[in-house]
Amino acid sequence: MLDHGQAPTLLKEPRKPVNPLLRRKPVEQLVSEGGQGEGGVLRRSLTMWQLTMISIGATLGTGIFVVLGEAAPKAGPAVTISFVIAGLTALFSALSYAELAGSVPVSGSSYSYSYATMGEFIAWICGWCLVLEYAVSVSAVAVGWGQYLNELLDGTIGVTLPEKLSAAPMGEGGWINLPSLVVVLLAMVFLMRGAKESARVNTIMVIIKIVTLALFIGIGVMGIKAGNYAPLAPLGVTGISAAASTLFFSYIGFDAASTAGEEAKNPKKDLPRAIMLSLGIVTVLYVLVAFVAVGAMPWQDFEGTEAALAKIMTDVTGGSFWGVVLAAGAVVAIASVVFAVLYGQTRILFAMSRDGLVPKLFAKVDPKTGTPRANVIVVSVFCGALAAFIPLGELANATSIGTLFAFALVNVAVVILRRTKPDMPRTFKVSWFPVTPILGFLACGYMMYSLPVATWVAFGVWMAVGLVIYFLYGMRRSTLAVAAAEVPTEK
């Protein structure tokens, strides 16, 4: 018993033991921690326009400039339909992303949404898939940048980099893809300057690539031959589906705005708008460019063509000038994708680090620039190494499967959050709920099913590595685990 004059000791109320794999992070806690890092705070400086440019910057690039050359031989002229199918798949998930981004405006994107709805284990799996999506995507895009850089050098000064220095050693006969490494390191330098400054650079590059694609459409349409559209689907529905799975890589990045949730000025309203607007702009451009491209060049000729759009411009005009102009635009366009996607990756790791699932190094914020500088450096070096030594095709497929898995979880998270927190303020709501998120989940599953076996094997290996890291490190060091250890449990 306590003496009457003695202050009572505050005892923590015992709690019932919770399965570590199922522990959830409350939405309110996620939002309250927004921007807080180790030694500094992220700065809220991004407008809706800049957020839209980040999503377009992360999406519009390699998919249309490079991956089109891999998809057209699979679907034939129906590659345009493949773009539409991939776009619809992305749309279902984009609607779910928009709702969650407006409700839970944090940097972790679908990782954070999963943490609040499905528990820590699923959140880790989602976060690990996002690392695959963003980090490998940066590398794949950087490989495409090197291809167009060679096209530009050839058209301007008649010199190209030797194959030994511009191709990956794994299956392509090179020593190192030096241009790919360089563009990642350049993006790193700009990202270390701060979010606001980085957004300005990104906006300029996005405008340049939109103008470049509009130029291609305007000139390429003059070379369309009706005969190039027949037969429409020479390889049938299977070919269209296979091409759509490959082209889904082209839509990766529309969710990049959601990774800027802690640096947006008005995240609850601006994030949903930026996500939907960016996807709409990108889809229209993709379909128009694909339609013109397969009309101007027989689909069989896309096989092995690394810079198809530049080749079409040269063939249509009968000279190299416009092909060089397009190659220059592509160099800028693809560089902006590297820039924006690298930004997204660093912010996702920032959120995971703050939650204790990865080392605190990734959440350390430089007080002068308001950016996670160490995070940016580590991620850039890792992505640069992948780009330098792994071929494009393998990277694109690996990126697609990781993205599709994360998107599928986002659709599930929307349904769960609607059920568990029906009264939570939402600035954007998915239409036709729950049909839309269910269709989004099924579409992602179908696209994953269409990917080759080798991609599934690589995905399985990646997930196995992730599980080892989680059980040996994250599960014991997460902030929720540390907090739980400090509270006595009921016996």
Side-chain angles (χ1 to χ4, degrees):
M1 293 182 63
L2 296 171
D3 293 333
H4 287 292
Q6 182 180 352
T9 302
L10 295 178
L11 297 176
K12 294 182 179 179
E13 183 179 349
R15 61 168 180 80
K16 294 181 179 180
V18 178
N19 187 329
L21 304 182
L22 301 178
R23 56 196 174 207
R24 302 178 183 179
K25 192 167 188 179
V27 172
E28 296 78 12
Q29 184 179 348
L30 283 168
V31 176
S32 67
E33 292 177 352
Q36 299 176 21
E38 295 288 319
V41 179
L42 299 179
R43 298 171 184 172
R44 291 196 177 277
S45 59
L46 302 179
T47 64
M48 196 274 284
W49 168 253
Q50 290 172 322
L51 292 169
T52 303
M53 291 298 103
I54 286 175
S55 279
I56 294 177
T59 310
L60 189 62
T62 307
I64 195 65
F65 284 106
V66 178
V67 179
L68 177 62
E70 296 185 14
K74 297 178 180 178
V79 69
T80 303
I81 299 175
S82 298
F83 265 113
V84 173
I85 293 173
L88 287 174
T89 303
L91 175 61
F92 289 131
S93 297
L95 291 168
S96 294
Y97 260 105
E99 177 170 326
L100 292 174
S103 307
V104 192
V106 293
S107 290
S109 186
S110 52
Y111 154 75
S112 294
Y113 311 150
S114 299
Y115 213 159
T117 57
M118 289 173 274
E120 185 175 283
F121 181 66
I122 298 298
W124 167 263
I125 291 176
C126 185
W128 193 241
C129 285
L130 288 174
V131 172
L132 181 64
E133 171 190 348
Y134 279 84
V136 180
S137 178
V138 167
S139 307
V141 171
V143 173
W145 185 82
Q147 294 169 353
Y148 269 95
L149 178 63
N150 254 342
E151 191 77 16
L152 177 61
L153 291 175
D154 185 41
T156 51
I157 60 177
V159 175
T160 59
L161 293 173
E163 186 177 1
K164 296 294 184 184
L165 298 180
S166 60
M170 296 180 60
E172 295 188 2
W175 290 345
I176 182 174
N177 194 324
L178 189 60
S180 304
L181 175 61
V182 169
V183 72
V184 174
L185 296 181
L186 286 174
M188 176 189 74
V189 172
F190 280 110
L191 286 173
M192 290 173 64
R193 298 177 60 187
K196 188 174 183 179
E197 292 75 10
S198 299
R200 288 173 179 167
V201 174
N202 176 69
T203 297
I204 293 171
M205 291 193 290
V206 168
I207 292 173
I208 290 174
K209 64 181 173 182
I210 290 177
V211 171
T212 300
L213 289 175
L215 181 67
F216 171 80
I217 294 169
I219 294 177
V221 72
M222 296 185 295
I224 290 178
K225 298 180 178 63
N228 287 339
Y229 293 114
L232 180 63
L235 302 177
V237 175
T238 302
I240 294 175
S241 297
S245 296
T246 298
L247 290 172
F248 188 79
F249 173 79
S250 309
Y251 289 91
I252 293 172
F254 73 80
D255 57 320
S258 68
T259 67
E262 296 172 26
E263 292 164 285
K265 289 183 176 180
N266 188 6
K268 286 185 175 293
K269 290 185 177 180
D270 290 346
L271 290 177
R273 293 171 181 171
I275 290 171
M276 298 309 300
L277 183 58
S278 62
L279 182 61
I281 292 172
V282 166
T283 301
V284 170
L285 282 171
Y286 278 171
V287 171
L288 289 175
V289 170
F291 179 79
V292 170
V294 294
M297 187 167 78
W299 64 272
Q300 299 92 332
D301 293 350
F302 282 84
E303 185 74 45
T305 303
E306 296 179 341
L309 301 191
K311 183 177 186 303
I312 290 171
M313 290 282 271
T314 299
D315 293 344
V316 170
T317 60
S320 62
F321 175 77
W322 289 110
V324 170
V325 170
L326 188 126
V331 167
V332 174
I334 298 173
S336 75
V337 179
V338 172
F339 185 83
V341 176
L342 192 62
Y343 166 85
Q345 173 64 94
T346 59
R347 271 41 179 189
I348 290 167
L349 282 174
F350 175 86
M352 296 177 71
S353 175
R354 185 172 56 203
D355 292 336
L357 295 178
V358 296
K360 291 295 183 183
L361 170 72
F362 292 99
K364 189 175 182 180
V365 177
D366 185 284
K368 293 183 179 180
T369 62
T371 59
R373 291 172 66 93
N375 183 341
V376 171
I377 293 172
V378 172
V379 171
S380 299
V381 171
F382 175 74
C383 293
L386 285 181
F389 299 109
I390 309 280
L392 173 64
E394 297 305 318
L395 290 171
N397 284 337
T399 302
S400 293
I401 195 168
T403 305
L404 286 164
F405 192 88
F407 284 6
L409 291 180
V410 168
N411 287 292
V412 174
V414 166
V415 176
I416 293 176
L417 204 57
R418 282 279 192 103
R419 301 301 185 199
T420 57
K421 290 186 175 293
D423 299 325
M424 185 175 70
R426 291 172 170 84
T427 54
F428 180 92
K429 282 190 173 184
V430 173
S431 302
W432 302 100
F433 181 89
V435 175
T436 301
I438 290 174
L439 288 175
F441 177 83
L442 294 175
C444 289
Y446 176 73
M447 298 284 277
M448 291 177 71
Y449 174 77
S450 299
L451 289 169
V453 174
T455 301
W456 276 96
V457 172
F459 181 65
V461 172
W462 176 262
M463 294 309 301
V465 172
L467 292 177
V468 170
I469 294 174
Y470 173 72
F471 286 114
L472 293 182
Y473 183 93
M475 187 173 73
R476 295 178 176 82
R477 300 196 181 207
S478 77
T479 54
L480 293 187
V482 173
E486 297 175 352
V487 179
T489 59
E490 292 181 357
K491 295 184 180 180

